[in-house]
Amino acid sequence: MSRCVHDGQVTDTNRRLQESGREVTCQTEEVIRCRIQQRNMATTVEKLQLCIPVLEMYSKLKEQLESKRYYAALKTMEQLEKVFIPRVSQYRFCQIMAENLPRLREEIKEISMSDLKDFLESIRKHSDKVGETAMRQAQQHRTFNSAVAKQASTGHYTKPVYTLNGQTHTHNGLMMDEDTGDEDEGDEEILTAQDLVDFSPVYRCLHIYTVLGDRETFENYYRKQRKKQARLVLQPQANMHETVEGYRRYFNQIVGFFVVEDHILHATQGLVTRAFTDEVWNMALSKIIAVLRTHSSYCDDPDLVLELKNLIVIFADTLQGYGFPVNRLFDLLFEVRDQYNETLLKKWALVFREIFELDNYSPIPVETEEEYILVVSRFPFHDAEIEKLDFPKKLPMSQSVPQIYTQVKELIYASLKFSESLHRSSTEIDDMLRKSTNLLLTRTLSSCLQNLIKKPHIGLTELVQIIINTTHLEQACKYLEEFITNITNVSPETVHTTRLYGLSTFKDARHAAEGEIYTKLNQKIDEFIQLADYEWGMAESDGRASGYLMDLINFLRSTFQVFTHLPNNNNDHASMSGKVAQTACMSACKHLSTSLMQMVLDTELKQISMGAIQQFNLDVIQCELFASSEPVPGFQGDTLQLAFIDLRQLLDLFMVWDWSTYLADYGQPTSKYLRVNPATALALLEKVYRG
C-alpha cells in the first residue's frame, strides 16, 4: 500500500513538475523562436544591404535613360555588370537585370544612331548657311585685314576668320580672340557653326559607340554617309548657270560641307582623318571643276562670268584657308578667263555693229574749240594743218572712229577686271590685256569691218570714208599700246611683251574696201551700159555721143572727185590715196572698154550698119577724151587712154576700111592695127554691112 502511495506521489510530483516546466518550456521555445527570427532578420538585412546598391544603381540607370544621358547610362551599366550584380548574382531579379542590360545597350545604340541621322540631316540643311557665313567672313577678312592681304600677295595664306565653338581658328589650329578682327565689324554678330548646327549628337554618338567597343562601325557609317552627302552637294541645279545666285548657292553648300568636316576633324579624335577629308576633297574638286567647266560654257553674259570668277576666288581662298589644296581651281580660272574673253568679244561685236549702223560716214564737223577738244580727248587726233584752220572745220574721220577707239579701251578695262584678286604679276596681266585686245582687233573688229564693207547699202562715198577711218584707227594703235603700258607699268620693250596686231586688221580692211570700190564701180558701169539703146541699123550717126554714155562719164568724174578726200596729210597717205584713185580709175576705164567691146561682138547682134559704127565711134571718142582729161592725177602720158586702144584700132580699121594696110602689116611690131585680133576683126566684119 505504501508503494502505491509512493507511486502516486511520484506521479503527482511528475504532474506538478510537468505543469511547472510547461511554462518554462514554452518560454524556452519562444526564446528559441525569437533567436531564430533575429538570426533570419540579420541575414535578411545583410542580403538587403548587398541588394540595395544594385537596385539604386538600376534606378539611377532608368533615370539616366529617361533623361537621355546615354553616355552616363552606359557607365552605370558597366558598374552594374562588373561590380554590383556579381555580388548578388544568385537572385532571380539580378539575373533578369543582367539579361536586360544588353537590350538596353542596343536601345541606346539605336537611339544614338537616330540622333546621328538627325544630325546628318541637320548639317545637310544648314550647309548652305554655314558656307555663306564662312565665305562672307573670308571675304571680309581678305578685303579689310591689311596683314592678311600682305601675306596673300606673297603667297602665304592665313586661315580666314571663322568661328567654331565660340573660338576663332587659324590655319595652324591656334585660337585667336574674336575682338582682334576689324573694329568696324565689332558690333556685327558673327554666327558660329554652333549657332547653326548642334554638334552634340555626333559627339554623344561617338562616345557611346566608343564605350560599346564599336567605334569602328560608327566611324565607317559616318564617313560613308558623309561621302553620300558630298555627292549630293556636288550635284548642281540644271539652271545654275543662269544667275550668280545659282553659283553662290552651289559654292555655299560645298564650303559648308567642308567647314563642318574641318570642325569634326579638329573636335573629335579620329572620327574623320586628314586623309579622309583629302580624299573627299579630291573627289569633290574633280567634280567641281567639271561642273564649272560645263556650266560656264553656257554663259554668254560677261558680267555673270566675272561674278563667277569672283566667287571662285573667294571659294578657293576660303577652302585654302582650311588647308585644302586649290591650285586646280586657279588653273580653271584660265579657262574661265578664255570664256570671259569670248563673251566680251560677242558683246563688243554687237557694240561695233551698232556704231557702224549709226555712223553717217561723213567727216566730223566741229563748230567750236570746245567741240574740237571734246573729240580729241576721246581720240588721239593730231593734224597741224587742220589745227591752223578757223572754226567751223571738219575732221577727216567720221564719228565712228572715236567711238571705236573708246570701246577698245573699255574692253581693256573689262579684261583688266578679271585679273583682279588672281595674284598675277604685272607681266602676266599685261600679256593678258594685250592678247584680249588683239583678239578684239583681229577677230571681232576685223569681222565687223569686213561685213560692213560687203553690205549692199554701203556706197562708194562710204567706202572712201571707211578707208579714211581705218587709216586713223591704224595710227591710234600706238596709243593703245601706251594705254596698256600705263595700266600695267610693263615696258613694251620687254622681251616677252605681245605686240598689238591692229595694223594688219586695218590694212586688211582698207584692202577689202578698195577691192569693193573697184567692184562697185564696175557694177555701176554695167548699170549704165544696160541703158544703152543703139539703133544698129541706122543710116548715119546722130553727130553727138549717146546720152547714156555722157551720163556715165559725168558719174565717173564726180566719183573720182570723192577720192580727193582720202587722207593726204603725209606722204604715206598721199601715196595711198593716189594709188587707190589711180587703180580705181584704170579699173573703171578697162571695164568700160571691155563692156563696149563685148557689146559690138555680142553673138545675138547680127548686123551693124556703118552709121551705127560711126555713132559707136563718137561714144568711144568721149571715153578717150575722159581718159585724157586726167580725171585722177598721177598717170604718166597717155597711160589711161591705152585702156581704149583695142577699141580705137578696131574702129579705125572699119571707119577707114583699111584692110589692105591691116593685112600687109599684120604681125609687124610697127603695125597701125597691132592690137586688132584677127578673130575679133572677122567677127565684126561678118556683122557690118555697107549700104
Side-chain angles (χ1 to χ4, degrees):
M1 180 167 180
S2 60
R3 186 177 178 182
C4 291
V5 174
H6 178 73
D7 289 339
Q9 291 177 341
V10 172
T11 300
D12 183 56
T13 299
N14 182 60
R15 180 182 57 75
R16 287 198 304 271
L17 284 172
Q18 289 293 332
E19 289 177 356
S20 300
R22 184 177 295 114
E23 184 177 353
V24 174
T25 301
C26 290
Q27 291 177 350
T28 301
E29 290 176 352
E30 184 66 27
V31 169
I32 292 171
R33 189 164 52 253
C34 286
R35 288 182 176 177
I36 291 174
Q37 288 177 347
Q38 287 178 343
R39 187 173 63 249
N40 289 341
M41 289 174 64
T43 301
T44 300
V45 168
E46 181 183 351
K47 298 301 183 183
L48 285 174
Q49 287 176 340
L50 292 174
C51 293
I52 286 174
V54 177
L55 296 172
E56 288 176 346
M57 289 295 289
Y58 196 79
S59 176
K60 179 180 178 181
L61 172 62
K62 288 295 186 181
E63 291 177 1
Q64 290 170 335
L65 291 173
E66 290 175 1
S67 60
K68 298 183 178 180
R69 295 162 53 212
Y70 301 118
Y71 181 72
L74 288 174
K75 291 296 185 181
T76 302
M77 288 184 196
E78 186 177 359
Q79 287 182 304
L80 279 171
E81 283 183 325
K82 295 182 177 180
V83 179
F84 293 95
I85 290 180
R87 296 174 182 173
V88 289
S89 59
Q90 67 274 24
Y91 299 110
R92 176 61 180 162
F93 79 91
C94 288
Q95 296 174 2
I96 295 173
M97 284 183 184
E99 294 171 357
N100 201 30
L101 291 180
R103 181 182 61 80
L104 292 176
R105 282 196 176 91
E106 288 302 318
E107 288 182 3
I108 291 175
K109 285 180 67 173
E110 292 174 3
I111 293 171
S112 61
M113 184 58 70
S114 176
D115 288 345
L116 175 66
K117 291 177 180 178
D118 292 341
F119 166 79
L120 293 173
E121 181 66 20
S122 173
I123 57 175
R124 188 185 69 81
K125 291 180 179 179
H126 291 88
S127 286
D128 189 3
K129 187 65 177 177
V130 172
E132 178 186 355
T133 304
M135 290 183 67
R136 182 174 66 251
Q137 293 172 353
Q139 184 177 18
Q140 291 171 349
H141 183 73
R142 185 173 180 275
T143 304
F144 299 111
N145 190 309
S146 59
V148 174
K150 184 177 180 180
Q151 289 178 331
S153 66
T154 57
H156 300 290
Y157 294 85
T158 300
K159 188 166 185 175
V161 175
Y162 187 72
T163 52
L164 292 171
N165 298 327
Q167 294 171 319
T168 302
H169 294 257
T170 61
H171 179 48
N172 57 13
L174 297 177
M175 311 271 187
M176 298 191 311
D177 293 332
E178 292 183 19
D179 60 3
T180 59
D182 197 314
E183 292 179 0
D184 293 338
E185 300 169 19
D187 296 333
E188 181 181 351
E189 181 183 359
I190 300 179
L191 293 176
T192 67
Q194 291 284 33
D195 295 326
L196 302 171
V197 179
D198 179 13
F199 287 95
S200 60
V202 72
Y203 302 148
R204 186 165 54 243
C205 198
L206 175 61
H207 291 155
I208 289 170
Y209 272 75
T210 301
V211 170
L212 294 175
D214 207 7
R215 179 187 176 107
E216 184 178 354
T217 299
F218 174 75
E219 289 177 356
N220 292 336
Y221 177 81
Y222 176 86
R223 296 177 187 181
K224 181 179 179 181
Q225 293 302 312
R226 287 298 276 164
K227 280 187 176 180
K228 288 183 179 179
Q229 288 189 336
R231 293 188 181 95
L232 291 175
V233 165
L234 293 169
Q235 291 296 329
Q237 293 183 344
N239 61 344
M240 181 179 75
H241 60 277
E242 295 177 359
T243 63
V244 68
E245 287 303 318
Y247 287 111
R248 182 174 283 112
R249 283 193 299 270
Y250 182 67
F251 287 131
N252 286 344
Q253 290 176 354
I254 296 172
V255 170
F257 177 90
F258 284 101
V259 166
V260 168
E261 286 308 287
D262 181 80
H263 174 66
I264 294 294
L265 174 67
H266 290 91
T268 62
Q269 297 295 325
L271 176 56
V272 296
T273 62
R274 176 56 69 182
F276 170 77
T277 55
D278 287 347
E279 177 190 351
V280 177
W281 170 244
N282 288 331
M283 178 271 292
L285 189 57
S286 298
K287 179 67 175 178
I288 292 167
I289 290 173
V291 166
L292 293 178
R293 184 177 287 132
T294 299
H295 281 260
S296 64
S297 67
Y298 298 147
C299 183
D300 55 5
D301 180 3
D303 293 333
L304 181 55
V305 178
L306 187 62
E307 289 281 359
L308 172 59
K309 166 257 172 182
N310 291 333
L311 283 175
I312 293 175
V313 170
I314 298 171
F315 173 74
D317 281 354
T318 303
L319 288 174
Q320 187 173 37
Y322 285 93
F324 296 101
V326 294
N327 289 339
R328 291 173 62 191
L329 284 174
F330 283 103
D331 292 339
L332 174 68
L333 285 174
F334 284 105
E335 298 180 34
V336 178
R337 181 196 65 189
D338 294 339
Q339 176 65 19
Y340 177 67
N341 286 337
E342 287 299 319
T343 59
L344 285 180
L345 294 179
K346 290 179 182 178
K347 180 178 179 179
W348 257 254
L350 298 176
V351 172
F352 288 152
R353 281 200 287 269
E354 184 178 6
I355 289 173
F356 289 140
E357 288 174 3
L358 297 178
D359 194 6
N360 58 10
Y361 297 98
S362 300
I364 300 176
V366 287
E367 303 292 333
T368 63
E369 185 174 359
E370 288 74 16
E371 291 183 12
Y372 179 80
I373 293 174
L374 179 62
V375 173
V376 297
S377 67
R378 297 170 56 206
F379 180 78
F381 174 76
H382 305 287
D383 189 297
E385 296 299 324
I386 291 180
E387 289 176 359
K388 293 177 183 178
L389 298 176
D390 296 329
F391 292 99
K393 53 189 174 184
K394 291 183 178 181
L395 305 184
M397 64 277 189
S398 66
Q399 63 186 11
S400 65
V401 171
Q403 292 173 347
I404 291 293
Y405 182 79
T406 300
Q407 286 301 321
V408 174
K409 291 169 67 175
E410 287 297 320
L411 178 122
I412 294 172
Y413 279 129
S415 183
L416 180 64
K417 288 181 180 179
F418 195 91
S419 65
E420 295 174 354
S421 307
L422 291 186
H423 318 301
R424 299 296 175 187
S425 67
S426 297
T427 304
E428 290 175 304
I429 294 174
D430 183 88
D431 185 64
M432 184 181 73
L433 294 182
R434 291 175 181 274
K435 286 181 178 178
S436 299
T437 307
N438 276 331
L439 281 175
L440 181 73
L441 294 176
T442 60
R443 204 172 81 186
T444 306
L445 182 55
S446 176
S447 175
C448 290
L449 281 170
Q450 296 293 338
N451 292 335
L452 172 68
I453 290 167
K454 297 295 182 182
K455 286 184 179 294
H457 70 274
I458 297 296
L460 293 172
T461 303
E462 288 82 2
L463 288 170
V464 170
Q465 187 63 56
I466 289 172
I467 292 176
I468 297 171
N469 290 350
T470 53
T471 302
H472 286 284
L473 286 170
E474 179 183 334
Q475 292 175 338
C477 283
K478 63 180 180 181
Y479 296 101
L480 290 175
E481 294 258 14
E482 293 177 4
F483 179 70
I484 295 175
T485 299
N486 290 335
I487 291 176
T488 61
N489 291 322
V490 176
S491 172
E493 281 73 30
T494 304
V495 177
H496 300 292
T497 300
T498 304
R499 298 296 178 182
L500 293 186
Y501 305 139
L503 300 180
S504 61
T505 294
F506 299 122
K507 285 180 180 177
D508 292 344
R510 268 202 309 281
H511 292 157
E514 292 166 9
E516 195 66 16
I517 285 176
Y518 310 148
T519 301
K520 286 186 180 294
L521 262 178
N522 293 343
Q523 290 174 348
K524 199 67 179 177
I525 291 172
D526 291 340
E527 292 176 9
F528 279 102
I529 293 294
Q530 289 175 3
L531 298 177
D533 188 20
Y534 287 103
E535 186 180 341
W536 297 109
M538 65 194 318
E540 58 183 32
S541 69
D542 294 338
R544 62 181 184 274
S546 303
Y548 87 91
L549 189 80
M550 295 308 298
D551 292 340
L552 172 56
I553 296 297
N554 291 332
F555 164 77
L556 291 176
R557 288 189 188 279
S558 62
T559 296
F560 291 125
Q561 287 179 355
V562 174
F563 285 87
T564 60
H565 295 119
L566 283 171
N568 58 6
N569 54 303
N570 59 44
N571 292 335
D572 290 340
H573 286 169
S575 174
M576 183 273 297
S577 62
K579 180 182 177 182
V580 173
Q582 291 168 15
T583 305
C585 190
M586 178 59 76
S587 172
C589 289
K590 285 183 177 180
H591 186 72
L592 175 57
S593 176
T594 302
S595 299
L596 291 173
M597 181 71 79
Q598 290 174 348
M599 188 184 298
V600 296
L601 296 179
D602 187 358
T603 55
E604 294 184 3
L605 178 60
K606 303 301 182 182
Q607 288 187 334
I608 302 177
S609 67
M610 286 304 297
I613 290 290
Q614 293 170 357
Q615 180 65 43
F616 196 77
N617 181 61
L618 291 175
D619 292 346
V620 174
I621 290 174
Q622 288 299 320
C623 293
E624 292 171 323
L625 288 174
F626 167 74
S628 63
S629 67
E630 198 176 17
V632 171
F635 285 108
Q636 295 181 354
D638 56 354
T639 302
L640 195 58
Q641 292 172 270
L642 292 177
F644 299 98
I645 189 66
D646 291 4
L647 265 177
R648 171 48 49 214
Q649 292 186 6
L650 180 65
L651 289 175
D652 285 351
L653 175 62
F654 278 85
M655 293 286 293
V656 181
W657 206 255
D658 195 7
W659 293 99
S660 58
T661 302
Y662 175 73
L663 294 173
D665 294 344
Y666 180 75
Q668 300 297 321
T670 58
S671 173
K672 181 179 179 180
Y673 304 105
L674 181 64
R675 304 298 295 271
V676 178
N677 185 284
T680 302
L682 181 61
L684 183 58
L685 182 62
E686 292 176 350
K687 299 173 185 287
V688 174
Y689 67 92
R690 305 173 70 187

